[in-house]
Structure formats: structure tokens, C-alpha cells
Amino acid sequence: GNGIGLTGLDKNALFKVQAVAANSWLQYQRAHGVANPKVGLAASGAVNSDVLCRTNQVIRLTLQYNGVVANAAYGSASASKTNTADNVGWGNVPYLTSVDSAYENWSSSSAAFQGKSTTLTAAQVKEGIEKILGAGATNNYSYAKWITDVKTDASGYCTSVKLCGTVISGNRFYQDLKGLRSPNFKVTYNNDGTWTFVTYGNGNCVGLSQYGAAGYIANSYNWRWVLLHYFPGTVIS
């Protein structure tokens, strides 16, 4: 409800973007067997009148692809390009592909997710590796060999990584290594049993970027354009 830095008509446009995306995502989940899908909401009683008003204006609208409601996934921030559904194990979804997210740095709050440096200890990295490969997986490897051969796509998202000699998907690594904020990262071993990750985005970065959407709106793009940009090939109906 705070508009993440936007005010007036721009803030209202962002509320419409989020309402249509959330509504579409919920309907998609129900249509695919999820009985009670949930999205993050403000505490009871804290939703302001602007949010309610703009939501009511678009409540009958959804994003659709080939005549059915689309999986309008979203997260707080992406890198300069969004991630693909295929990279996170959802298969090839034509409207969840990599698109430009040109305004991720438009405000200080959104810029904080770009090039964020996090250093993890050997204990933290070991916990993540053993969650994936099992107890004792690191026993026969030096620290420098725990994480090797990081492969990325053209947008910088990790597609695979070798952990103690075993290749796993980049998404599995991102999900199970606590402290890793995004699958778009660069990693350096520091020769002291620690690793530094520089990440871009926050979350799996698939679909709509909330900060990115706000940036486009702040630069005079309308709310319908924003939705169709992040979900190419869909229509609003």
C-alpha cells in the first residue's frame, strides 16, 4: 500500500498492475489444483482506500494466454533482465521468458537489490550443499572445490553449478543455499573458507518485477503496457 516510492496517479497505476497480476496468479493456481493459494497481503485492516479503489477497478481483469488465465508470477526485483520459467524448472512457458527490466535502479530502495554483496561462511555453505547432496558430501573436497563451474545464461542467471563434483541446477542451488538472494549472481572463493556472492535481483526473478514495474511507471509507461511487457504474448481481458 505504500507505492514503493510512487505517489498520486503513478502509485494508483502500480496498484492496478499488482492487482491484475495477483488475481491472475491466484486463478491460475486454482485452475491447476491448488485449493487455497495465497499471496502476501498487508495485515488485516491495514489496506488503504487507494488499494481497495484501484483493485475494484480491475477486479474482473486477468492476464490470459491462448484464452486461459496465465501464471502471472511476480517478485520484488529482478536483474536488468528477468529470469525464465525454464531456468526454475517450470518448463518452457512462452510468456515467462527473459525480458528487459530497464529501471531496476530507479530508486535507492530498488537499487539496493542490484550488486548486493553477501559473504557466507563454510558452515553456511556446507549446510546448503549437504541439504542437496547429503551428509558428508564435502568431506573429500577442499573448500576451493566445493563450488565450481558456475554456468549462466545470457542474462546472468545460473543454469548449473558443480558442487563437490556433482552438477546440479542453478535453481536448486539458489533455493537450498541460505543467504543467496537471487539465482543471478557472481561468486568468489576468498581463500579463507568463505565465499562472497554478488547478487542481482531478489527472489527467482521470473515474471513481473515489482520494483521494475514501478520504475517503468515512474518513467511514464502505463499500467497495461507494463503487464504486457513482463508477460509477452498475453492479453488483458
Side-chain angles (χ1 to χ4, degrees):
N2 64 6
I4 56 177
L6 298 180
T7 59
L9 295 177
D10 285 349
K11 181 171 69 172
N12 291 338
L14 183 63
F15 293 159
K16 291 179 181 179
V17 167
Q18 184 66 75
V20 173
N23 186 27
S24 303
W25 186 86
L26 288 166
Q27 291 199 33
Y28 178 91
Q29 298 304 313
R30 292 193 191 100
H32 289 78
V34 180
N36 294 295
K38 296 179 180 179
V39 297
L41 298 172
S44 178
V47 178
N48 64 46
S49 59
D50 278 347
V51 172
L52 291 173
C53 180
R54 307 312 157 190
T55 299
N56 285 336
Q57 289 178 342
V58 298
I59 196 65
R60 292 180 176 83
L61 298 178
T62 57
L63 283 160
Q64 298 193 12
Y65 185 80
N66 287 344
V68 297
V69 177
N71 179 9
Y74 57 88
S76 63
S78 76
S80 60
K81 288 182 176 290
T82 61
N83 200 1
T84 68
D86 198 37
N87 276 349
V88 297
W90 300 352
N92 181 20
V93 182
Y95 56 85
L96 293 179
T97 187
S98 181
V99 300
D100 288 334
S101 196
Y103 295 103
E104 291 292 339
N105 286 302
W106 78 279
S107 71
S108 58
S109 296
S110 58
F113 292 116
Q114 306 304 316
K116 185 174 182 62
S117 180
T118 303
T119 297
L120 301 182
T121 66
Q124 290 171 307
V125 173
K126 180 178 180 179
E127 179 183 359
I129 292 175
E130 292 193 341
K131 185 175 182 181
I132 297 167
L133 300 180
T138 62
N139 287 355
N140 297 321
Y141 294 85
S142 65
Y143 288 146
K145 297 293 185 181
W146 283 13
I147 302 171
T148 59
D149 295 342
V150 177
K151 306 295 186 185
T152 63
D153 67 10
S155 300
Y157 290 96
C158 183
T159 55
S160 69
V161 59
K162 188 177 288 186
L163 300 181
C164 299
T166 299
V167 177
I168 66 160
S169 72
N171 186 58
R172 180 75 188 277
F173 183 61
Y174 155 69
Q175 287 183 325
D176 288 338
L177 188 65
K178 292 180 180 178
L180 187 57
R181 293 178 174 270
S182 161
N184 192 310
F185 63 85
K186 298 176 182 177
V187 58
T188 303
Y189 175 61
N190 299 319
N191 295 316
D192 62 356
T194 66
W195 290 258
T196 297
F197 293 85
V198 179
T199 54
Y200 299 82
N202 188 46
N204 63 30
C205 304
V206 177
L208 174 75
S209 162
Q210 291 166 306
Y211 275 109
Y216 276 113
I217 291 169
N219 283 274
S220 301
Y221 292 82
N222 70 55
W223 68 270
R224 287 178 177 269
W225 184 94
V226 170
L227 283 166
L228 298 179
H229 171 72
Y230 278 105
F231 303 103
T234 62
V235 296
I236 300 170
S237 178

